[in-house]
Amino acid sequence: MQNFLSFKPWYLSLLVFLAIASASNQTLAEITFTGGQPLHQYQPSIIVPILTEAFKRNGIKFKALHHPSLRSLLYSSTGFLDGELHRIYDFHKVSGGQYPDLIRIESKMLTVWLAVFATKKIKFETWADLKGHTVAYSRGRKNLEKTLPQYLPADKIIAANNDTHAFKMLSEGSVDLVISESRLGDDLLEAYSLFSNITKINKIYPTRIYSYMHKKHQQLAADIALTIEQMKEDGSYAKIVETVNITFK
């Protein structure tokens, strides 16, 4: 067998190139995203199958994990994991540019509504109606982190561990209001008898939800955005959304 040291320089270069290409292919064989909501909840129930199909069409296996919202951001923004399942369109603006290494996949996943929940009859039509109340929300929602301090002092704002925790505090009377996603809140009220004293008093405004990827996958993010747009044209996107909506009725 020919000694390794006797290989021609060009052949050694070829071997190095093939090794790098092989490693790159293995790296891209699977992509893992993380999200701040449990995967059985509404947003990930739509986004995960959409991304699974989009990455499959690009020859890549897709995997989704759930971590608490801020930990999820840590994993995705540092590149430890490959992307973030669901953040709002203007995420970089509301987060003050703290996560510059995340780039938006430029195809909207869905639109959700924020809503206000309470155990008492409380008027809510504008943000100014929060005055005098103690409000809880799920930690990691950057839009609420930015908005609520404009209307309430810090001691009236409670960042809960997650939405379930926020609703538990509301049910027990520790806070006056909870701001959450409308559909997610409805699901929690139905799932937990403990929350039977809570009602949704008003929707606030619609929020566009997008997925994000670490910048090391910049070209792939563009490819996935194009694929999702193609899915919207061929009807596969609508089929996924319709199936999930039926399940969540």
Side-chain angles (χ1 to χ4, degrees):
M1 184 169 62
Q2 191 176 19
N3 189 286
F4 177 79
L5 295 176
S6 66
F7 283 176
K8 301 291 184 183
W10 67 267
Y11 191 64
L12 288 174
S13 297
L14 177 61
L15 288 177
V16 171
F17 172 79
L18 291 175
I20 293 173
S22 175
S24 177
N25 286 337
Q26 289 175 3
T27 300
L28 293 179
E30 182 174 284
I31 287 286
T32 303
F33 276 40
T34 174
Q37 293 183 12
L39 299 182
H40 68 273
Q41 292 183 344
Y42 184 68
Q43 278 195 49
S45 292
I46 287 179
I47 293 171
V48 170
I50 289 172
L51 289 177
T52 298
E53 177 62 20
F55 278 100
K56 180 181 177 182
R57 294 187 185 190
N58 284 271
I60 300 171
K61 183 179 179 182
F62 178 77
K63 182 179 179 181
L65 301 173
H66 160 62
H67 295 99
S69 184
L70 293 179
R71 191 186 309 167
S72 179
L73 272 176
L74 173 66
Y75 289 159
S76 60
S77 65
T78 59
F80 179 74
L81 296 177
D82 300 296
E84 189 77 14
L85 283 172
H86 40 74
R87 292 287 168 179
I88 61 176
Y89 174 82
D90 54 351
F91 167 71
H92 288 302
K93 180 180 178 181
V94 300
S95 64
Q98 295 179 60
Y99 307 94
D101 291 335
L102 286 176
I103 56 176
R104 188 171 57 230
I105 297 177
E106 297 291 355
S107 183
K108 187 182 74 172
M109 288 296 181
L110 71 161
T111 298
V112 298
W113 283 79
L114 286 179
V116 178
F117 297 81
T119 57
K120 304 172 183 176
K121 280 192 173 183
I122 296 176
K123 174 189 172 184
F124 184 90
E125 295 179 358
T126 68
W127 290 108
D129 291 327
L130 294 176
K131 185 178 180 181
H133 297 296
T134 302
V135 179
Y137 71 100
S138 178
R139 180 180 288 110
R141 295 193 181 208
K142 298 299 180 179
N143 51 341
L144 293 178
E145 285 182 13
K146 183 176 181 179
T147 301
L148 291 177
Q150 299 176 37
Y151 299 93
L152 292 170
D155 62 349
K156 293 290 186 178
I157 303 171
I158 308 296
N161 295 332
N162 49 49
D163 290 278
T164 305
H165 179 213
F167 276 84
K168 187 173 185 292
M169 288 193 293
L170 176 59
S171 177
E172 294 174 347
S174 301
V175 297
D176 303 315
L177 299 168
V178 162
I179 299 179
S180 181
E181 291 170 18
S182 179
R183 178 72 73 110
L184 174 57
D186 291 342
D187 294 338
L188 290 175
L189 297 189
E190 184 175 344
Y192 295 93
S193 58
L194 173 66
F195 302 154
S196 60
N197 60 335
I198 298 174
T199 58
K200 180 166 61 182
I201 59 176
N202 205 354
K203 288 183 178 180
I204 308 174
Y205 61 82
T207 304
R208 294 174 291 166
I209 302 298
Y210 285 72
S211 295
Y212 286 74
M213 290 192 77
H214 189 270
K215 67 180 183 181
K216 65 183 177 182
H217 300 303
Q218 184 170 3
Q219 182 55 55
L220 182 56
D223 294 341
I224 294 301
L226 179 60
T227 302
I228 295 172
E229 290 300 306
Q230 292 169 346
M231 291 171 61
K232 290 176 180 178
E233 292 177 3
D234 66 26
S236 53
Y237 170 94
K239 186 175 181 180
I240 291 171
V241 174
E242 181 182 2
T243 299
V244 174
N245 282 335
I246 291 172
T247 303
F248 277 81
K249 276 186 178 180

